[in-house]
Amino acid sequence: MGCSVSTSSRSTCSSGSRGEAVSPLCFEIGFCGTKRTKRTFSDHVITLQNLPSVPNRIFTNGKSRTSCIFTQQGRKGINQDAMIVWEDFMSEDVTFCGVFDGHGPQGHLVARKVRDALPLKLLSSMHSYQLRQNGSGGACLKGNLKKSDGSPEDRLNCLWKETFMKSYKAMDKELRSHTNLDCFCSGSTAVTIVKQGPNLFMGYIGDSRAIMGSKDSNGSMAAIQLTVDLKPDLPREAERIKKCKGRVFALQDEPEVPRVWLPFDDAPGLAMARAFGDFCLKEYGVISVPEFSHRLLTERDQFIVLASDGIWDVLSNEEVVEIVSLAPTRSSAARILVDSAAREWKLKYPTSKMDDCAVVCLFLDGKMDTESDYEEQGLSSATVQSNHSGNAIETDDGQKTELYLPRNFTVRSSEEIDSYGRVAVEFEGNVDAVSTEDQNWSGLEGVTRVNSLVQLPRFSEERPNP
C-alpha cells in the first residue's frame, strides 16, 4: 500500500523562460508517443519516512532558490498551518507549492499529513498516466481525450486537471481510512500550485488563498487573485450543501461568518464548503473536490503568494502585494508579511486571539537575493542558506529545528507519532471539477476570524433519519 515516486533527472527541453513559447509538454513524461531520454519512475524511491531528506523540498521557515516560506503560531493553541515548496518537483522546470490550514482537534495532524502525502499522489498520478500512455501506444488521457483532440496546451491542461482531481480524491480517501488519524471532525484546507515553465496550474479547497503580484501597463504593482475562497455562502456551494440536507447559516454574534451545520444538530459549524477530512459533513454537502484553473504567466507577473486565512482576515490582496514587493530582501518577504499581519491583528482586534499564519512567496523570475542584499540586512548568505536545503527535521514533539528564522511549534503526542504511514495510491475514476464561473471572489476582509469549527457534533438516539 506504500507509494513510491520518482525524482527525475533534470530536464533539458525547457529554457525556463516565463515569456517564451516553451513546449508545455516537456516535464519528462512522454506525451502522445514522444520519446524522451529520461529516468524511469522507479529510479529513485521516496516515502513519507525519508521526505525530509529530499533535496530542494522545504517545509519549515526559510528559503529556497526561488521562494521563501514562514509560519507563526497564533494564540489559539497548536499551530495548525503547514506549508511546502518543492523545487525540481518532476524536472528542473517544475515547482510545487502548497499551504494547508488545519482545523478541529487533530487539524494540525491532518494539515501535515496532506502536506506530505498530496505531492506524492500528484507524482503517482502522473506516473500512472505515463504507464497508460506507454501501454496504449500514445493515447492521450484515456477516457478524456483522443490522440488527435486539441492542441498540446489543451491536452496538458486536461492532464493536470485530471491529476489534481484524482490526487485530491485519493488524499481524502486515505484520510478516511487512516487508522491513527481521526478526521471525523478534523480537516484541512489546501491551496496548491504547480509551476511548469510559463504554465501555472492550481488546485484548491477551503479558504486559504493564492494571489499574484503583477505589473500593470503603467509599471505599477497590482494584485491578482488566483483562487476563490470556497465558503458556504457562495451560491453554488450553498446550493450543493442544501441539496444534501446540510444547513448553512451564520451565528447571531458573527453574522459575517456563514457555516455548515448538520441537519439534526447545531454542529459542527464549519466555516468552509470544501475541505479534506470533516467526514461528519461529507454526506451533507462538504466535499474535497478541488477547484482547478490554469494560467499562462507573462513577463509582467512578478511573484505568487499563498497564505492561510490568518493573513487574509486582516490584510487585503493589495496590502499583501505591497508588503512583499517592498520587502528589503526577498528571503525575508514571508516573515515580514506574517509580522505585518500580527500587528494588524493587535490593532484591529485587540480582544481577539490571533490566528495561525502560513505564507509561501514564490518569485517567478527564479531569482533570490544578492550578497549585497544580505549585507544591508546584517546577515551573511551562509547563515541564511544554512538550513534551507530541504533537510529540516521535525522532532517527535512536532517542533522544527531552524537556524535562520524563529521556529514554530506544532505539537503532536507520542501516540500520534506513527500517524504518518505509507501513502495510498488507489484512484477511483474521474471527478468533475466544479466551475468557478459566476462565483464572487469572497474573503473575510476586516472581519475577525473565529474558529473554523464551533463545536463537535453530539449524536443522539433521537437523531432523525436524513
Side-chain angles (χ1 to χ4, degrees), residues 121 165-174 424 426-427:
K121 293 187 182 301
M165 295 299 147
K166 286 188 173 183
S167 300
Y168 271 63
K169 181 176 182 179
M171 185 72 252
D172 209 43
K173 180 179 179 181
E174 180 178 340
E426 297 181 21
F427 301 120

Side-chain angles (χ1 to χ4, degrees), residues 128-201:
S128 297
Y129 162 73
Q130 183 182 17
L131 293 180
R132 294 200 309 271
Q133 179 241 335
N134 292 338
S136 59
C140 297
L141 291 173
K142 183 174 65 176
N144 289 338
L145 289 177
K146 296 180 180 179
K147 183 176 180 179
S148 59
D149 286 343
S151 65
E153 291 78 11
D154 291 338
R155 296 198 299 273
L156 178 65
N157 186 59
C158 187
L159 170 60
W160 273 113
K161 180 178 180 179
E162 180 185 15
T163 297
F164 271 98
M165 295 299 147
K166 286 188 173 183
S167 300
Y168 271 63
K169 181 176 182 179
M171 185 72 252
D172 209 43
K173 180 179 179 181
E174 180 178 340
L175 290 173
R176 180 185 289 272
S177 61
H178 205 296
T179 57
N180 297 322
L181 189 57
D182 184 1
C183 301
F184 189 68
C185 293
S186 298
S188 176
T189 70
V191 55
T192 56
I193 66 171
V194 172
K195 178 186 175 295
Q196 194 273 320
N199 292 280
L200 184 67
F201 303 97

Side-chain angles (χ1 to χ4, degrees), residues 66 126 192 212 216 270 290 322 350 385 420 450:
T66 62
M126 279 294 185
T192 56
M212 181 165 63
D216 58 21
L270 182 65
E322 181 180 12
Q385 296 173 358
Y420 297 91
V450 295

Side-chain angles (χ1 to χ4, degrees), residues 267-412:
L270 182 65
M272 61 199 71
R274 306 190 193 191
F276 286 119
D278 294 308
F279 294 112
C280 67
L281 289 170
K282 284 294 166 69
E283 295 181 4
Y284 304 107
V286 173
I287 59 176
S288 59
V289 179
E291 288 288 320
F292 173 84
S293 59
H294 167 247
R295 185 181 185 92
L296 194 63
L297 300 171
T298 70
E299 290 293 342
R300 291 184 176 180
D301 301 329
Q302 303 299 303
F303 56 83
I304 295 171
V305 177
L306 286 70
S308 59
D309 63 345
I311 298 292
W312 311 115
D313 285 354
V314 293
L315 295 174
S316 68
N317 295 344
E318 291 73 21
E319 289 171 329
V320 168
V321 166
E322 181 180 12
I323 291 169
V324 173
S325 62
L326 295 179
T329 61
R330 288 188 170 187
S331 59
S332 66
R335 174 179 55 83
I336 290 174
L337 182 55
V338 171
D339 290 344
S340 299
R343 287 193 296 270
E344 289 300 310
W345 273 95
K346 293 179 181 179
L347 290 173
K348 293 182 178 180
Y349 312 111
T351 60
S352 299
K353 293 181 179 180
M354 175 184 168
D355 194 11
D356 305 326
C357 295
V359 172
V360 169
C361 297
L362 176 66
F363 296 95
L364 299 174
D365 60 6
K367 300 176 183 178
M368 286 300 284
D369 304 306
T370 63
E371 189 72 26
S372 60
D373 293 327
Y374 296 127
E375 292 174 356
E376 291 177 3
Q377 295 300 308
L379 300 171
S380 69
S381 60
T383 300
V384 173
Q385 296 173 358
S386 60
N387 194 41
H388 307 305
S389 62
N391 297 327
I393 299 174
E394 285 184 317
T395 59
D396 289 346
D397 63 357
Q399 298 182 6
K400 302 171 184 178
T401 58
E402 298 161 331
L403 302 177
Y404 165 49
L405 296 173
R407 68 177 60 179
N408 73 312
F409 298 87
T410 301
V411 183
R412 69 173 185 248

Side-chain angles (χ1 to χ4, degrees), residues 95-119:
T95 300
F96 173 87
C97 301
V99 165
F100 314 94
D101 184 357
H103 53 263
Q106 298 198 29
H108 57 299
L109 298 176
V110 178
R112 290 167 59 186
K113 175 70 175 179
V114 175
R115 175 201 68 191
D116 292 343
L118 183 60

